[in-house]
Amino acid sequence: MKALQCEMCGSQDLVKDSGVFVCQSCGTKYSVEEAKKMMIEGTVDVKGTVKVDKSQDAKNLVQLAKDAIESVNGEEAYSYANRALETDPSNADAWFIKMKAAGLIATLGDLKVLDVINAGKKAIELSNKELEKEVYVYYLTKCLNDLQFCMTQLQDTQTMKELYEANCQLSPFSATEKTLQCDSVLGMILIQVDTVVKLRAMVPESFVSSDEDITHLVGEVAKQWVYYTNAVNSRFNVYGTNINDETVAKYREVLSDIKKGLPEEKQDVIGEEAISNPSSGPCYVATAVYGSYDCPEVWTLRRFRDFTLNETWYGRLFIRVYYAISPTFVKHFGNVKVFKSQGKRILDKWVVRLNNKGYTNTPYKDKY
C-alpha cells in the first residue's frame, strides 16, 4: 500500500478526526473512501471522462489565506491565494484575498499598486459585482495609507539635512543639485505616487457621489494628497529650494481629479489653494542680525522676498542661492559682533528704502 499523502501540499502528516482524515499542514480533509483510494498501489485504468471537483480544495486554501491575512502574514496569504487560483481560477474570494495580500507585501520600492488593481478587478468580475464596494473601499484605503506612508518617509530628513550642509561647505552653488541626486527615497516616492493615485481613479464617480463610505474615503484621500504634496515641498526646502509652479499646477490638477464625483456640499473638503510651494526657510541673515524671524524689519524683508523677488526668474534664482549659502555663513559668523553691527547698519538702510516704497513692517505670514 502507498503511504497516505495529501494531494494539495504533499504532506504525509494526516490525522483521522471525527471520521475524516485531516492534513496537518494545509487543513485539507479526506473521507475514509478517498483515503483508501489514495493508498491503493499501482495504477487504475479509468474509461470514459472523469471530472475532478477540486472546489473544496480551493475553499480550504482560501480559508488558509484568510487566516494568514488575519495574522498580517502577507507572504503566506499571497502563496495560499495563488495556490487556490491554480486549483480554481474563477474563485472570486481567492482574487479578493490576493488583492489584500499584495497590499501587505508592498515596500517603498514597490507598493504593489498594479497587482492590487488587477486582483481587485478580477474579484469584481468573477463575483458578478458582489464584491464591488469592498474592492473600492480597499482601493481607497490603500491609496490613503500609501500617501500617509510616503509622507512619513519624506518627513525623515535628518540625514539629508546633514548631507546638504556638507555639500554647502564644499560647493554652495551646487549643493541643492548634488543633495537631490543622492536622495533615493524622494526619487522612489515621486515615481510610486503617480501609480498610487490610480487606485482612486479606479473608483467610479457614481459610487463616490452615492455611497457615504466611499464619499468619506475620497474626502480623506483628497486631504491626504494635499498633506503629501506639502511634505514633498518641505523635503525640497531641506535643500534650499522648492517645487516649481508647474509642479504645483500638476498637483492641483490631481486634487481636482481625486474630488470628482464628490457631492457639491463635500467639494470644499479641501481646496486647491492648500497646495503651494512655500519658500525654503527663514531669512537667515536678517534673523541673525535682528535676533528674530518675527520683528518689523524682517517682516518688511519677507514681504519684499515674496512679492518682488519671487515674481521673477532671476529673483527666484537669487533666493535659491541665498538659501544655499546663508545657513553655512550664519553658522560660522552669526555670533560675530562685527557681522551683526555692520549687517544691521546695511539692512536698516535697505528696510527704510523698502518702507518708503510701500512695504509695510506690520506682522506678516509668509505668502508661500
Side-chain angles (χ1 to χ4, degrees):
M1 300 287 286
K2 296 167 68 176
L4 188 57
Q5 184 174 359
C6 178
E7 293 182 339
M8 291 304 301
C9 66
S11 172
Q12 295 184 356
D13 186 11
L14 280 80
V15 176
K16 190 173 183 181
D17 182 20
S18 301
V20 296
F21 288 87
V22 182
C23 175
Q24 301 302 296
S25 295
C26 69
T28 302
K29 297 179 181 180
Y30 300 93
S31 67
V32 174
E33 289 301 317
E34 289 173 328
K36 287 181 180 179
K37 291 178 182 178
M38 291 165 60
M39 296 172 66
I40 296 176
E41 290 185 323
T43 59
V44 179
D45 291 330
V46 180
K47 294 181 179 180
T49 301
V50 178
K51 183 177 181 180
V52 180
D53 183 6
K54 294 188 176 181
S55 59
Q56 187 58 46
D57 296 335
K59 289 180 181 178
N60 292 335
L61 288 168
V62 168
Q63 185 57 54
L64 290 170
K66 289 180 178 178
D67 293 342
I69 290 288
E70 291 283 332
S71 301
V72 198
N73 190 331
E75 295 284 354
E76 192 172 281
Y78 197 79
S79 175
Y80 280 130
N82 275 333
R83 286 168 57 186
L85 291 170
E86 289 173 3
T87 303
D88 181 9
S90 63
N91 191 305
D93 289 333
W95 283 108
F96 185 72
I97 293 297
K98 182 175 180 177
M99 174 190 71
K100 289 187 171 183
L104 285 177
I105 61 177
T107 63
L108 181 61
D110 182 6
L111 292 172
K112 299 292 182 184
V113 173
L114 295 181
D115 287 348
V116 167
I117 289 175
N118 291 333
K121 289 169 66 176
K122 294 293 289 185
I124 293 173
E125 174 191 341
L126 294 170
S127 69
N128 292 321
K129 295 190 175 183
E130 289 184 11
L131 292 173
E132 191 170 27
K133 178 179 175 178
E134 291 183 68
V135 169
Y136 294 152
V137 166
Y138 186 79
Y139 282 172
L140 293 171
T141 302
K142 178 172 171 58
C143 184
L144 179 62
N145 291 339
D146 284 354
L147 289 175
Q148 290 174 334
F149 173 68
C150 290
M151 183 184 72
T152 301
Q153 297 300 309
L154 290 172
Q155 291 171 333
D156 184 10
T157 60
Q158 186 57 41
T159 300
M160 304 314 298
K161 282 180 180 178
E162 294 172 359
L163 178 60
Y164 175 65
E165 290 178 1
N167 284 331
C168 281
Q169 294 179 12
L170 293 173
S171 177
F173 292 97
S174 62
T176 297
E177 182 180 356
K178 287 184 177 180
T179 309
L180 280 170
Q181 289 173 350
C182 295
D183 195 347
S184 58
V185 170
L186 177 62
M188 282 191 290
I189 287 175
L190 292 179
I191 293 172
Q192 290 284 324
V193 167
D194 284 342
T195 309
V196 169
V197 293
K198 290 182 179 179
L199 288 161
R200 161 61 188 96
M202 297 304 300
V203 182
E205 291 181 31
S206 58
F207 267 83
V208 179
S209 61
S210 62
D211 188 283
E212 290 186 3
D213 296 329
I214 301 291
T215 298
H216 173 73
L217 279 170
V218 169
E220 291 302 305
V221 169
K223 288 187 282 187
Q224 189 57 52
W225 173 252
V226 172
Y227 303 152
Y228 159 77
T229 62
N230 290 333
V232 172
N233 191 65
S234 295
R235 185 80 170 200
F236 276 89
N237 287 177
V238 172
Y239 320 130
T241 186
N242 54 9
I243 59 177
N244 56 37
D245 293 339
E246 290 78 13
T247 302
V248 171
K250 172 190 171 185
Y251 285 166
R252 288 178 174 178
E253 184 178 343
V254 173
L255 176 61
S256 178
D257 289 339
I258 289 173
K259 292 166 63 177
K260 283 181 178 178
L262 282 176
E264 186 174 348
E265 65 273 14
K266 299 288 185 179
Q267 282 291 330
D268 61 352
V269 62
I270 195 160
E272 292 183 1
E273 68 281 357
I275 298 177
S276 61
N277 50 356
S279 56
S280 55
C283 298
Y284 292 100
V285 174
T287 301
V289 167
Y290 291 108
S292 173
Y293 187 57
D294 287 306
C295 65
E297 295 83 0
V298 178
W299 287 329
T300 298
L301 292 169
R302 285 159 58 189
R303 283 186 170 91
F304 174 68
R305 176 198 64 194
D306 292 349
F307 290 97
T308 298
L309 291 179
N310 203 60
E311 296 303 310
T312 63
W313 69 265
Y314 47 87
R316 289 192 292 271
L317 177 61
F318 172 81
I319 292 173
R320 179 176 176 179
V321 173
Y322 172 79
Y323 283 121
I325 297 174
S326 57
T328 302
F329 184 81
V330 170
K331 180 179 179 181
H332 291 289
F333 302 102
N335 293 319
V336 178
K337 290 183 179 180
V338 174
F339 163 74
K340 285 191 173 183
S341 61
Q342 294 299 315
K344 186 174 186 303
R345 184 173 64 84
I346 295 170
L347 287 178
D348 281 346
K349 291 181 179 180
W350 183 242
V351 168
V352 170
R353 291 176 61 185
L354 291 176
N355 290 154
N356 292 335
K357 289 184 176 182
Y359 295 93
T360 61
N361 60 1
T362 54
Y364 175 65
K365 182 179 179 181
D366 290 344
K367 177 181 177 182
Y368 299 102

